[in-house]
Amino acid sequence: MKGGIVRGLQSIGDGALKIVERIGAVVLFLGQILMHSGAILRRFPLVIREMYFAGVQSLIIILVSGLFVGMVLGLQGFETLQSYGSSESVGVLVALSLMRELGPVVSALLFASRAGSAMTAEIGLMKATEQLSAMEMMAVNPLARVVAPRFWAGVLSLPLLAALFGAMGIMGGFFVTVVMLGVDSGAFWSQMQAAVDFHHDVVNGMIKSLVFGVAVSAIATYEGYEAPPTAEGVSGATTRTVVSSSLAILALDLLLTAFMMKGWN
Amino acid sequence: MNRATLNLWVGIFVLLGFAAFLMLAFKVGNLNLGGGGGTYEVIAHFDNIGQLKERAPVRSAGVLVGRVRSVSFDMKHYNAEVHMAIDAHYHFPMDSSASVLTSGILGEQYVGLDAGGDDKMLKNGDEIKLAQGAMVLERLIGQFLFNKAQDSSNEKSSTGKGAQ
Amino acid sequence: MNDYVVIRDLNFGYSERPVLKGINLTVHKGGLVAIMGLSGCGKTTLLRLMGGQLQARHGSVCVAGQELNHMTESQLYALRRRVGMLFQFGALFTDLSVFDNVAFQMREHTDLSESMIRDLTLMKLNAVGLRGVQGLMPAELSGGMARRVALARATALDPDLILYDEPFTGLDPISLGVIGRLIRELNDALGATSVLVTHDVQESMKIVDYIYFVSDGVIVAQGTPDEIRASPLPFVHQFVWGEADGPLPFHYPGVALVEDFGLMVSS
């Protein structure tokens, strides 16, 4: 009994240490990426190429999800606000939820599972088939040639995707509430504009998605680069990318939200 | 994938992203470039601010002219000190008055500015001297009851006088 | 400076397990040397040490007169520009076309114009007999063709030293002969030094100048192909002629058969 408790505590301690260790490893890896990003402008065609895979190929899922999330927000908000007789404020509700939380967070979660996992699998497979070793032997650092362009493509793509997600969501909300449920379109926009602040809501949302982009891209490239060079190794790394990225996004969101609310003083 | 088509797609993606951002900035966030981002700050002291929060609107004649920047307790005067950021292209005379008002019956609270008649205008860091705090429901009711009670006792005393 | 690669008293191990225990070998400039041994005896490790991808525990690895152990990363990268390596399965970049694979180093390390790169790349592909495939992706090539493209890529910058990791593995007899001939021809045409790690005795015997046998982390035999064929050493004899049993037993060392099967000798 006593031994069981001790073992349980030990495993909790081990788990916590492992998490801290992994966070540290990812941060160190991020530092290495930044160190090897010096020539990124010379390699910008590579970044563009990776933006195609990370950004353009995520467009459909982001746009469709954004539209649906906005529509649901509109419906739910309308239902609730109508009982208080202020259904015109539904635009405020849709816009604020999308700008502050749902836009950055949901688009980052989708990005992690759509583009992040692909990044991990690609780099992991390149490692397993000795392509990274081959590159090293050709005196080209894989961190600069393979990892850094993917990292920067992710960092640049996610804020753009988040903006598109937000815009689509607002259009979805507009469609459901104004076109279908008959909320006055003027009130929808004017109340939204009066309540949404450019700096506090729009810019902060973009800052969030930029931070998420850094986190997801760093985790995805790290997991790929450090993946054991076997089939199971790569598939395990892909799973870990999605799980760790999602947790990182939610934890960072909490931190950033708290910081932004305090930081406004 | 051909490199030219790839670049084209990424270009479209980036343009779409920026268009979405601009829509969020102007159509949703109501960013107006005409203001040049300029605001000036004025201060007002209120006995009671009620539910007034940071970033609450500052309105004059119903028009949004600025926002509350911060709310704090003033230890010197034992009242609430409210800093307001007013859009640089709205000017108000020195003797304007500020009051904490409520939109609707249960709506959000905001600061209302009523323009005075002074020639000099408020500048950054100036204080609005005429400031009226929020109505507090309990006090209103208390005052109402007190007035009622006083009225009825006055009536009694006056009828008593009349009998003498 | 006639010795291009000099390895002295080299020790290396992964974590606790020692893999190489005191290797000494020398490769002359212009030579084509094979390192042979059983699978898992540390041949590939030895090759990676020569490429500076691993660090020796003790001893020294000298390539072109430079000690690899104490090099900074930038020095190592500078040296590697003069080294080409052919990986076991080619390790072609799967996201680039055959042309871009061969042109990779030229684009990364030189300021040659695109038309110059095109000419050089086609020449390299022509040298391995694959000028027609430059537009294909690596996934569309057969194993033998991929190996030849990888060979063209490894020699793209006319290296002084070419390292081959198991170049014959998994090839049909014809491709095998083609690769073998190409290795010899490229070595002589470029005036390069080559080190070949392989366990394909017959094919490599035809092309190399000198052979080192590695077993259990040490060099057990060395000599020219003729000397090796005539070697009286039982291990070499077993290896060269591919006999199933010999000094290297067919059975992995384990507990005695009687114990494993729980057979008790009743007495």
Side-chain angles (χ1 to χ4, degrees):
Chain A
M1 184 63 204
K2 208 170 156 193
I5 294 171
V6 170
R7 264 198 301 282
L9 285 174
Q10 269 174 347
S11 67
I12 292 174
D14 280 355
L17 271 179
K18 277 210 187 87
I19 292 171
V20 173
E21 226 172 73
R22 275 164 53 81
I23 293 174
V26 171
V27 170
L28 282 180
F29 189 71
L30 178 60
Q32 275 190 304
I33 296 176
L34 296 181
M35 261 170 54
H36 287 100
S37 295
I40 202 69
L41 285 180
R42 190 168 68 82
R43 294 182 200 270
F44 209 72
L46 286 174
V47 179
I48 290 179
R49 189 188 142 86
E50 295 307 328
M51 275 180 84
Y52 178 81
F53 295 112
V56 176
Q57 296 203 331
S58 307
L59 265 179
I60 299 290
I61 189 173
I62 290 283
L63 293 180
V64 172
S65 314
L67 192 68
F68 284 151
V69 167
M71 287 170 143
V72 169
L73 278 176
L75 264 176
Q76 289 279 10
F78 183 80
E79 280 288 310
T80 314
L81 289 172
Q82 201 179 30
S83 52
Y84 297 103
S86 49
S87 54
E88 299 82 38
S89 302
V90 69
V92 178
L93 186 137
V94 171
L96 283 185
S97 341
L98 278 171
M99 290 300 99
R100 289 184 182 171
E101 293 297 333
L102 289 173
V105 171
V106 177
S107 57
L109 290 174
L110 291 171
F111 182 78
S113 36
R114 169 68 186 74
S117 58
M119 256 187 229
T120 305
E122 205 186 358
I123 297 177
L125 276 177
M126 287 182 87
K127 188 186 179 192
T129 53
E130 293 192 305
Q131 292 181 46
L132 298 187
S133 285
M135 200 171 277
E136 245 174 59
M137 282 308 297
M138 287 190 260
V140 176
N141 196 321
L143 277 173
R145 177 61 170 68
V146 174
V147 173
R150 283 171 174 75
F151 172 79
W152 286 110
V155 172
L156 291 178
S157 295
L158 187 50
L160 294 172
L161 290 172
L164 281 165
F165 186 96
M168 273 319 266
I170 283 164
M171 285 189 233
F174 179 84
F175 181 75
V176 165
T177 55
V178 175
V179 179
M180 292 174 67
L181 297 171
V183 172
D184 179 57
S185 120
F188 180 90
W189 290 114
S190 65
Q191 293 225 7
M192 184 192 294
Q193 286 170 359
V196 177
D197 182 76
F198 176 67
H199 292 284
H200 191 255
D201 300 316
V202 180
V203 171
N204 278 0
M206 288 295 115
I207 291 174
K208 273 186 180 179
S209 68
L210 193 70
V211 174
F212 298 159
V214 171
V216 173
S217 309
I219 290 172
T221 48
Y222 167 81
E223 290 292 353
Y225 200 71
E226 298 295 330
T230 58
E232 306 90 72
V234 175
S235 76
T238 311
T239 312
R240 272 202 304 282
T241 292
V242 177
V243 174
S244 331
S245 303
S246 308
L247 289 177
I249 289 164
L250 296 173
L252 281 172
D253 185 49
L254 177 65
L255 275 179
L256 285 172
T257 305
F259 183 75
M260 282 165 179
M261 286 186 170
K262 275 275 155 211
W264 203 253
N265 280 332
Chain B
M1 168 77 52
N2 187 348
R3 182 132 156 208
T5 24
L6 198 137
N7 286 355
L8 179 70
W9 270 109
V10 173
I12 292 172
F13 166 57
V14 172
L15 278 184
L16 275 178
F18 271 105
F21 179 72
L22 290 181
M23 173 194 158
L24 296 182
F26 291 105
K27 186 86 181 161
V28 179
N30 202 19
L31 172 76
N32 34 18
L33 292 176
T39 56
Y40 62 95
E41 190 174 283
V42 295
I43 306 163
H45 287 87
F46 295 100
D47 297 334
N48 193 318
I49 56 161
Q51 304 295 310
L52 191 70
K53 298 245 166 50
E54 277 169 33
R55 300 201 344 95
V58 177
R59 298 178 196 272
S60 186
V63 178
L64 185 75
V65 294
R67 286 193 184 276
V68 171
R69 184 168 282 165
S70 69
V71 175
S72 55
F73 186 65
D74 183 353
M75 285 297 286
K76 232 171 24 202
H77 305 98
Y78 299 108
N79 59 14
E81 185 175 303
V82 173
H83 291 248
M84 288 167 278
I86 310 290
D87 263 0
H89 53 265
Y90 296 118
H91 301 283
F92 291 93
M94 281 297 277
D95 60 345
S96 300
S97 66
S99 37
V100 178
L101 301 170
T102 309
S103 55
I105 296 174
L106 294 168
E108 58 170 359
Q109 286 192 298
Y110 65 95
V111 178
L113 287 183
D114 291 308
D118 206 319
D119 292 340
K120 278 201 284 180
M121 294 292 166
L122 283 167
K123 294 187 306 295
N124 192 30
D126 281 350
E127 184 177 346
I128 296 177
K129 294 285 187 316
L130 284 167
Q132 194 192 347
M135 303 282 196
V136 180
L137 207 57
E138 292 92 322
R139 287 202 186 154
L140 275 180
I141 294 167
Q143 194 140 29
F144 176 72
L145 290 176
F146 180 74
N147 286 348
K148 260 294 200 235
Q150 214 167 26
D151 282 354
S152 57
S153 70
N154 281 352
E155 265 173 43
K156 266 183 199 157
S157 62
S158 65
T159 48
K161 258 183 205 160
Q164 267 180 353
Chain C
M1 236 281 319
N2 201 23
D3 298 337
Y4 200 78
V5 179
V6 182
I7 293 178
R8 287 287 165 264
D9 190 31
L10 176 67
N11 280 269
F12 181 82
Y14 295 105
S15 60
E16 288 302 298
R17 192 169 62 88
V19 179
L20 301 175
K21 302 174 239 178
I23 298 271
N24 288 294
L25 67 81
T26 308
V27 183
H28 296 302
K29 196 164 172 55
L32 176 48
V33 167
I35 297 168
M36 290 191 198
L38 299 168
S39 311
C41 73
K43 305 183 300 279
T44 301
T45 307
L46 192 52
L47 209 60
R48 285 180 183 257
L49 282 157
M50 286 186 212
Q53 288 190 305
L54 297 173
Q55 292 273 303
R57 276 195 187 161
H58 306 291
S60 72
V61 181
C62 277
V63 174
Q66 290 168 281
E67 170 63 52
L68 291 190
N69 258 348
H70 308 296
M71 272 192 176
T72 62
E73 194 175 274
S74 54
Q75 283 174 314
L76 197 57
Y77 272 78
L79 178 68
R80 280 186 188 155
R81 292 189 186 202
R82 295 156 58 193
V83 178
M85 182 158 176
L86 180 70
F87 281 81
Q88 195 162 354
F89 295 104
L92 292 175
F93 301 134
T94 40
D95 55 341
L96 298 180
S97 70
V98 166
F99 181 91
D100 291 333
N101 260 287
V102 179
F104 183 80
Q105 274 176 294
M106 303 179 197
R107 290 199 174 125
E108 289 290 332
H109 293 319
T110 66
D111 295 322
L112 296 176
S113 68
E114 199 55 30
S115 68
M116 191 85 141
I117 287 178
R118 185 178 171 276
D119 293 350
L120 281 173
T121 304
L122 291 184
M123 266 166 60
K124 290 293 169 191
L125 281 171
N126 195 39
V128 296
L130 288 177
R131 192 159 36 80
V133 302
Q134 72 264 30
L136 298 182
M137 294 306 278
E140 299 169 293
L141 300 177
S142 73
M145 279 156 84
R147 207 70 61 88
R148 278 149 78 185
V149 171
L151 193 53
R153 187 182 69 174
T155 56
L157 288 187
D158 296 347
D160 298 335
L161 174 67
I162 312 175
L163 306 173
Y164 298 93
D165 186 6
E166 307 276 15
F168 303 122
T169 311
L171 291 183
D172 60 85
I174 300 173
S175 303
L176 205 94
V178 170
I179 291 283
R181 212 190 68 205
L182 280 173
I183 289 173
R184 181 78 243 183
E185 279 177 2
L186 280 171
N187 188 66
D188 298 345
L190 297 174
T193 308
S194 302
V195 178
L196 193 73
V197 154
T198 180
H199 47 231
D200 191 305
V201 185
Q202 302 309 329
E203 193 55 45
S204 45
M205 288 270 221
K206 290 185 207 157
I207 56 168
V208 301
D209 304 326
Y210 205 78
I211 296 169
Y212 286 93
F213 264 97
V214 179
S215 176
D216 207 15
V218 291
I219 289 181
V220 292
Q222 61 185 74
T224 61
D226 290 334
E227 286 168 6
I228 290 292
R229 269 193 209 99
S231 171
L233 281 167
F235 165 76
V236 176
H237 191 267
Q238 184 192 359
F239 195 96
V240 171
W241 303 106
E243 289 157 2
D245 218 347
L248 262 161
F250 166 72
H251 286 291
Y252 188 83
V255 290
L257 198 64
V258 254
E259 279 178 49
D260 230 9
F261 288 95
L263 299 175
M264 296 302 284
V265 185
S266 53
S267 53

